Amino acid sequence: MGRSPCCDQPHTNKGAWTREEDDRLVAYIQAHGEGCWRSLPKAAGLLRCGKSCRLRWMNYLRPDLKRGNFTEEEDELIVKLHALLGNKWSVIAARLPGRTDNEIKNYWNTHIKRKLVGQGLDPQTHRPLVTRKDEISSTDEGGDLDLDLTISLRLPAASGNGGANWRATWPEVATPPPPPGPLCAPTICFCYHLGFRSDQACSCQPASSSGHFHGYYTGSLYKI
DNA sequence: AATCGAAACAACCGCAGGATC
DNA sequence: TGATCCTGCGGTTGTTTCGAT
């Protein structure tokens, strides 16, 4: 594409931000708002690339950031969301007010990962860690347990079902293809599993007389 | 007090994808 | 329609802090 790397400009500062740079960035954004990161450094009188300014603002200077240790509830929520979404840190961060994707990613790598390993769980798959020996004996016995967590997204119904704002809430979610067929397995409400009350995050309902449930997560409909 | 290793955190880099021309 | 611009994301690295020795 021939894009010019924004951070290779001469006379561009790198590394830790100074107090003065922070002040300049905050003052500029308070006066003009976020947006157009490319031109912001020059306009704000900063010798930084736009990318660096954005990162600094998003991860450190934003006034709505919650500093300090993660609570036990946040900890559990991150684990559950990671089990569902994988390394989608920005999506996970969107569910934790005041936390940034970078912060959660760091926290995951330094704390939670180790914690899960300590509990005998694979931090990527959230399945129990198995030794080579276990794996072989399990296969030999034909005990092929597949615990793959597969999530498919479906558009909520045109009205009701709590899905009216799903696009606004989950803009990063692409419009899923139409479902291949009727639900084929009993499903559970994932929101409930995450600890949300129904009025907080979902309005799950039985999808059909078959008793299957669609899980709404803040408006998005999951077949679980 | 000095040194070293581990942990924690901030920042950078490369890439993908949407927007625009 | 393709080229380019710009933003945002996830992985990774560099630096700082902290505790043990």
Side-chain angles (χ1 to χ4, degrees):
Chain A
M1 286 211 286
R3 187 191 332 157
S4 60
C6 71
C7 297
D8 285 352
Q9 320 258 343
H11 313 303
T12 300
N13 288 345
K14 285 190 179 183
W17 280 65
T18 65
R19 179 64 191 269
E20 191 193 343
E21 286 177 313
D22 282 348
D23 290 345
R24 274 179 186 270
L25 182 56
V26 170
Y28 183 87
I29 292 176
Q30 279 174 351
H32 302 92
E34 290 179 42
C36 199
W37 295 108
R38 183 87 172 176
S39 59
L40 184 148
K42 195 176 176 185
L46 287 162
L47 295 174
R48 294 274 178 176
C49 67
K51 221 174 184 180
S52 181
C53 292
R54 178 189 160 272
L55 205 65
R56 183 65 178 171
W57 173 255
M58 294 294 194
N59 290 333
Y60 200 82
L61 298 173
R62 256 166 51 199
D64 59 327
L65 289 182
K66 189 196 288 183
R67 314 300 301 182
N69 296 338
F70 282 77
T71 65
E72 195 61 35
E73 289 73 30
E74 287 176 316
D75 200 287
E76 286 175 21
L77 185 55
I78 292 169
V79 171
K80 287 171 180 173
L81 286 169
H82 186 273
L84 173 69
L85 302 163
N87 295 359
K88 299 285 179 193
W89 305 116
S90 60
V91 182
I92 293 172
R95 313 317 310 159
L96 284 121
R99 301 295 188 185
T100 70
D101 55 353
N102 204 37
E103 194 178 10
I104 292 170
K105 182 172 57 182
N106 282 333
Y107 186 66
W108 175 268
N109 286 325
T110 55
H111 291 84
I112 302 179
K113 220 172 175 178
R114 200 174 310 133
K115 185 173 143 187
L116 290 180
V117 170
Q119 292 172 353
L121 297 171
D122 184 326
Q124 273 318 113
T125 63
H126 295 257
R127 294 184 196 178
L129 285 165
V130 290
T131 62
R132 180 75 187 133
K133 189 183 158 206
D134 292 341
E135 215 168 26
I136 291 167
S137 66
S138 152
T139 306
D140 288 344
E141 290 161 15
D144 191 12
L145 182 61
D146 185 1
L147 292 176
D148 265 343
L149 182 60
T150 303
I151 304 297
S152 69
L153 295 170
R154 288 187 179 180
L155 279 173
S159 63
N161 287 349
N165 297 322
W166 81 281
R167 173 60 68 196
T169 309
W170 290 70
E172 66 284 354
V173 176
T175 302
L183 294 176
C184 55
T187 52
I188 58 167
C189 170
F190 185 70
C191 322
Y192 178 78
H193 187 66
L194 288 178
F196 289 110
R197 298 193 315 267
S198 62
D199 60 336
Q200 272 184 318
C202 78
S203 55
C204 301
Q205 303 174 5
S208 69
S209 56
S210 66
H212 295 157
F213 275 79
H214 285 158
Y216 282 93
Y217 183 60
T218 340
S220 290
L221 183 58
Y222 292 92
K223 171 192 162 189
I224 303 171

